[in-house]
Amino acid sequence: IQPNAGGAGRWNLINGIPTTSTGIGITANGVNALVNNTTGIYNTADGNNALVVNTSGSNNTAQGQGSLGLSVLGSGNTANGSGALSGLVSGTNCTGYGYLAGSTLNTGTNTICIGHNSQPSGVNTSNEVTIGSTAIATARVQVAWTVMSAVESI
């Protein structure tokens, strides 16, 4: 556990580079991970350049080199995989799971990308789930699948 220069940051674990963050509950492992965090709280970055430009975003988890790398003030985002959600600047509650998953997403809310290079339908997309990349030719489900929607028929 490493105190910052002013002593304002609390319960921060930093491996790789010193911080002057006043945030609380910061965990960073890797070169430049969370290096620019100033007031963001409860962020976890594991990997070189993970959450590297985050300043005030909170409750983010980035695992993998460059994951959530452009996120400045996004909150509640989870990126697992090298480059996952790497282009997300100001998203909220977005999830990228897999190498480069959701890396083209710039802004969005509740956008989920699962699988290697899975990308949303646009750079500013909300409330969408993408499973697999465009290289996937077949989708299979081994068990019964129920599709539920909030859309009512007219």
Side-chain angles (χ1 to χ4, degrees), residues 32-97:
N32 293 329
L34 275 167
V35 69
N36 291 301
N37 191 81
T38 53
T39 58
I41 60 173
Y42 304 115
N43 290 304
T44 301
D46 186 18
N48 294 345
N49 298 315
L51 277 165
V52 65
V53 298
N54 183 77
T55 57
S56 57
S58 297
N59 301 302
N60 294 299
T61 301
Q63 185 175 20
Q65 189 278 327
S67 57
L68 282 167
L70 294 180
S71 181
V72 177
L73 40 92
S75 292
N77 299 302
T78 302
N80 190 333
S82 184
L85 297 178
S86 57
L88 187 65
V89 175
S90 61
T92 303
N93 301 326
C94 295
T95 301
Y97 187 79

Side-chain angles (χ1 to χ4, degrees), residues 20-36:
T20 57
S21 175
T22 59
I24 299 169
I26 303 299
T27 303
N29 291 299
V31 175
N32 293 329
L34 275 167
V35 69
N36 291 301

Side-chain angles (χ1 to χ4, degrees), residues 79-86 95-104 113-120:
N80 190 333
S82 184
L85 297 178
S86 57
T95 301
Y97 187 79
Y99 174 67
L100 295 176
S103 60
T104 62
C113 296
I114 301 171
H116 168 263
N117 204 27
S118 56
Q119 302 300 334

